[in-house]
Amino acid sequence: MDIKKGDTVEILTGADRGTRGVVLRAMPKEERLVVEGVNLQKKHSRQTTQTGSGRAIKSGAVEFPAPVHISNVMLVCPKCEKLTRVVRRSGEEGRGRFCKSCENPLDAPRK
Ligand SMILES: [Zn+2]
């Protein structure tokens, strides 16, 4: 999987097509990503708390981004801002992931 947590991706399909967001979580086994503000689902939560005088019930809907499949997103290069593919290199000039368009390294250099 070429996309990691912290990358910016653009959604290619569905209701969120064209939306860009930061990857909050990568799930390599499932090939899925959780992207900030994308594929929002509402989760209804209900909490019952026992208080001194009686019971207080709190309820509400919490919005959270559901995972999207990696085939529905494309990486956005932070430098050239193009939708790009990742090139992997391991050599003396650098190693890791690079933007296919502008050769910008996508990973922080290791020191
Ligand atoms: Zn680039």
Side-chain angles (χ1 to χ4, degrees):
M1 200 154 94
D2 289 323
I3 298 173
K4 290 180 180 175
K5 183 181 170 181
D7 288 345
T8 299
V9 295
E10 185 167 318
I11 309 303
L12 303 177
T13 58
D16 290 311
R17 187 167 58 189
T19 304
R20 289 182 181 190
V22 176
V23 176
L24 301 176
R25 201 174 143 211
M27 300 147 81
K29 266 188 194 169
E30 292 93 348
E31 295 192 308
R32 284 175 184 274
L33 304 163
V34 176
V35 184
E36 189 177 28
V38 168
N39 200 19
L40 290 178
Q41 309 284 317
K42 272 190 182 159
K43 190 184 199 174
H44 292 275
S45 68
R46 186 175 279 255
Q47 280 183 315
T48 309
T49 325
Q50 193 79 38
T51 61
S53 55
R55 301 176 85 187
I57 297 167
K58 272 198 294 183
S59 68
V62 181
E63 277 197 332
F64 69 99
V68 293
H69 195 259
I70 194 169
S71 64
N72 296 331
V73 308
M74 209 160 169
L75 186 72
V76 179
C77 172
K79 193 176 178 191
C80 66
E81 298 198 342
K82 286 180 187 163
L83 299 182
T84 188
R85 294 192 181 279
V86 173
V87 182
R88 283 183 181 276
R89 291 222 187 94
S90 55
E92 281 180 17
E93 72 278 14
R95 57 177 65 219
R97 303 180 305 153
F98 293 83
C99 168
K100 201 176 180 183
S101 300
C102 71
E103 306 278 309
N104 177 55
L106 298 167
D107 294 310
R110 278 174 220 160
K111 288 172 188 169

